Amino acid sequence: VGVICALLQNDMRRLLSYHIVSQVGYMVAGAGLATAYGVDGSLLHAVNHMLYKALLFMSVGAVIYAAQTEDLHELTHRGTKEEERHKQYIWKTLPIVTIGVIIGALSISGVPFFSGYVSKYILKHAMYDVGLAEVLLMLASIGTAASFCKLVYLGFFKARARIVNKIPVSVHLAIVGTAALCVILGVYPQLISGLLPYATSVSVYSLEGVWAALRLNIAGVLLFLNLAKLLQKGIYLPPWASIEYVIFAPLGKLILRLFCTYGVTIDSTVNTLYLKSGNGLYQFCQYVTSLDKGLDKVVDGGYVRIGDAARRITNLDSSLDQAFVSGYTHIGDAAQRLANLDSSLDQAFVKGYTHIGDAAQRFTDHSGHPPEISAESYHETDLAADRPVDKYDQRQSQFEGGRRSSPWTPAEWSTKNLNFDSLLLAMLLVVVLIVIFYFGR
């Protein structure tokens, strides 16, 4: 079926595409036999098909690129003299491309010494005496040869076109390389025989095998020669005979109509969803913006009030510091005056004691007591007078920052040697602690 559809095509890529169906039919038939020859032949044919079909598509693509057409009727149609003057034969203008398509056609047709011959030989050997499958495979080979005679003759040798673009060197290199692989694997297939899972022998060149392949290709050439004029004009089947017209076109229209109907519904639903979600998001953004502005006002006002309170606290703290300094100064001055007064009192007491001692001495001299008694009393009086002087010296040395020469004992405590400065400092310390505790709380 693939070969027949390919034979009826006037579009070169459609012809090659239908031959993909045909060649895959070879592979499926070989693998379906589930024999060593069938599986190895189908796998080897898949490799060969990748090469020669790539070569054919590259050659046809080069014609499309150069002539901007792939329609066989347009390539073989004769126009006016003015149009024909600008046209050139494809095979003369694109010789490397023409050689590539010839090698690809010989390979896919199974001509000896080309890659397709090896895999087709193994498949024919696998299908020998299988019945209808062997007959259909031979008919497909004849149709393949005929359809590629049509492609090469009408698309390259008889085709004339105005060359628009020059073929790049990279395309020529790709065509030459792939064509060389098709020839190399046809002449020496042992290069890839090690990849076959069942290690089927690829010694396929025998007189009988070569003649069998040539018979099928000769039959294909004769078929093309008999149908050349008809194939050149084109065979147009009625619409009811076209699977595309009967099944694919109505089915495609139905699928397209359903797709458009449901697509419009889905699209409108999605648009509505986008609009609703967009409006909701916009309102949410507005709410967040207003909330942010309100929070900014509250926070800014709070910062201002906190700053004012901190400034007032700082000013109050500065005032308190100044008050404390002033109080410390006044207390120090009062303590200094008290210390001076205490020193004056001590000096007055010393002078009084001295005058009393002198008076006692004079009184003793005038009294009638014995000299020894008067001398003893005078000595005691003198010691009593010296005692306050010593205490005054001790207190004076304390006041001036001197150190005691002997440790303090409780017997020395009296009202007279009480340090008034220490008492004042203790009271001042109590006041400071009360203030710190109050503000610290």
Side-chain angles (χ1 to χ4, degrees):
V1 172
V3 166
I4 293 173
C5 291
L7 194 60
L8 300 178
Q9 300 304 314
N10 293 313
D11 186 284
M12 289 193 286
R13 283 185 295 177
R14 282 180 175 268
L15 187 150
L16 295 178
S17 299
Y18 275 113
H19 266 293
I20 294 176
V21 178
S22 174
Q23 297 303 309
V24 172
Y26 278 82
M27 304 171 204
V28 173
L33 293 175
T35 60
Y37 272 93
V39 173
D40 285 351
S42 63
L43 293 176
L44 184 59
H45 196 65
V47 175
N48 291 332
H49 179 259
M50 293 176 192
L51 291 174
Y52 57 65
K53 189 56 63 72
L55 176 61
L56 291 169
F57 268 109
M58 282 192 291
S59 301
V60 169
V63 173
I64 297 172
Y65 179 76
Q68 299 295 304
T69 183
E70 58 179 329
D71 187 86
L72 295 177
H73 288 305
E74 186 177 349
L75 289 171
T76 55
H77 175 70
R78 293 293 180 266
T80 61
K81 291 184 179 180
E82 182 65 24
E83 293 175 348
E84 291 297 321
R85 187 168 63 248
H86 297 287
K87 290 183 178 181
Q88 300 175 357
Y89 283 103
I90 297 295
W91 69 273
K92 288 183 179 180
T93 309
L94 307 175
I96 296 178
V97 175
T98 303
I99 294 173
V101 78
I102 291 173
I103 293 176
L106 294 175
S107 297
I108 195 172
S109 300
V111 176
F113 304 108
F114 295 92
S115 60
Y117 167 79
V118 180
S119 53
K120 282 191 174 184
Y121 179 91
I122 296 175
L123 286 173
K124 291 173 185 176
H125 186 275
M127 293 185 184
Y128 178 74
D129 201 18
V130 176
L132 184 61
E134 182 182 9
V135 176
L136 292 177
L137 188 64
M138 291 181 180
L139 292 177
S141 298
I142 294 172
T144 300
S147 59
F148 277 96
C149 286
K150 173 184 176 180
L151 175 67
V152 174
Y153 177 69
L154 299 180
F156 288 84
F157 284 100
K158 196 174 182 180
R160 286 171 56 85
R162 183 176 181 177
I163 304 303
V164 179
N165 297 314
K166 184 179 180 182
I167 303 298
V169 178
S170 59
V171 176
H172 286 150
L173 292 176
I175 290 175
V176 170
T178 311
L181 286 175
C182 291
V183 175
I184 291 171
L185 293 180
V187 175
Y188 191 66
Q190 288 81 5
L191 288 175
I192 59 172
S193 62
L195 301 177
L196 300 177
Y198 294 101
T200 300
S201 175
V202 291
S203 299
V204 295
Y205 288 104
S206 62
L207 185 60
E208 182 181 0
V210 171
W211 173 237
L214 290 177
R215 284 202 306 265
L216 296 176
N217 286 285
I218 291 172
V221 173
L222 294 176
L223 177 64
F224 170 72
L225 292 176
N226 289 319
L227 301 176
K229 293 184 179 180
L230 181 62
L231 292 175
Q232 184 175 354
K233 292 180 180 179
I235 301 175
Y236 300 96
L237 297 176
W240 56 267
S242 172
I243 295 177
E244 182 178 359
Y245 180 83
V246 175
I247 297 177
F248 292 133
L251 184 62
K253 290 180 181 179
L254 176 63
I255 293 174
L256 182 61
R257 185 167 59 253
L258 293 175
F259 176 77
C260 292
T261 302
Y262 289 105
V264 170
T265 304
I266 294 172
D267 185 63
S268 61
T269 304
V270 171
N271 288 337
T272 304
L273 180 62
Y274 283 157
L275 290 175
K276 290 182 178 180
S277 60
N279 291 330
L281 183 60
Y282 177 72
Q283 293 175 0
F284 175 74
C285 291
Q286 285 184 332
Y287 173 74
V288 171
T289 303
S290 60
L291 182 63
D292 183 64
K293 290 180 179 178
L295 288 175
D296 287 342
K297 292 180 180 179
V298 173
V299 172
D300 291 341
Y303 286 155
V304 172
R305 288 192 291 272
I306 291 172
D308 293 338
R311 186 165 55 251
R312 287 194 296 271
I313 291 173
T314 302
N315 295 333
L316 179 60
D317 182 67
S318 177
S319 301
L320 288 175
D321 287 341
Q322 292 177 0
F324 278 125
V325 170
S326 178
Y328 289 153
T329 303
H330 292 318
I331 291 171
D333 294 340
Q336 181 66 36
R337 287 195 296 271
L338 287 175
N340 295 333
L341 179 60
D342 181 62
S343 177
S344 300
L345 288 175
D346 288 339
Q347 291 177 3
F349 278 122
V350 171
K351 288 180 180 181
Y353 290 148
T354 303
H355 291 313
I356 292 170
D358 293 339
Q361 180 66 39
R362 287 192 299 270
F363 177 75
T364 302
D365 292 339
H366 293 288
S367 64
H369 294 287
E372 59 272 5
I373 296 174
S374 298
E376 183 179 356
S377 299
Y378 176 78
H379 181 66
E380 290 177 359
T381 304
D382 190 26
L383 291 176
D386 290 338
R387 222 176 278 123
V389 176
D390 295 336
K391 293 181 179 179
Y392 169 77
D393 292 338
Q394 292 176 1
R395 285 197 298 273
Q396 189 68 21
S397 63
Q398 274 188 344
F399 182 76
E400 294 175 357
R403 301 178 62 90
R404 291 178 180 268
S405 61
S406 62
W408 175 83
T409 59
E412 296 179 6
W413 182 267
S414 65
T415 304
K416 194 173 290 188
N417 60 13
L418 178 64
N419 193 340
F420 188 71
D421 295 341
S422 301
L423 178 61
L424 291 176
L425 292 175
M427 294 173 63
L428 182 61
L429 179 61
V430 171
V431 173
V432 172
L433 291 175
I434 291 172
V435 172
I436 293 174
F437 173 76
Y438 177 75
F439 285 102
R441 183 187 61 181

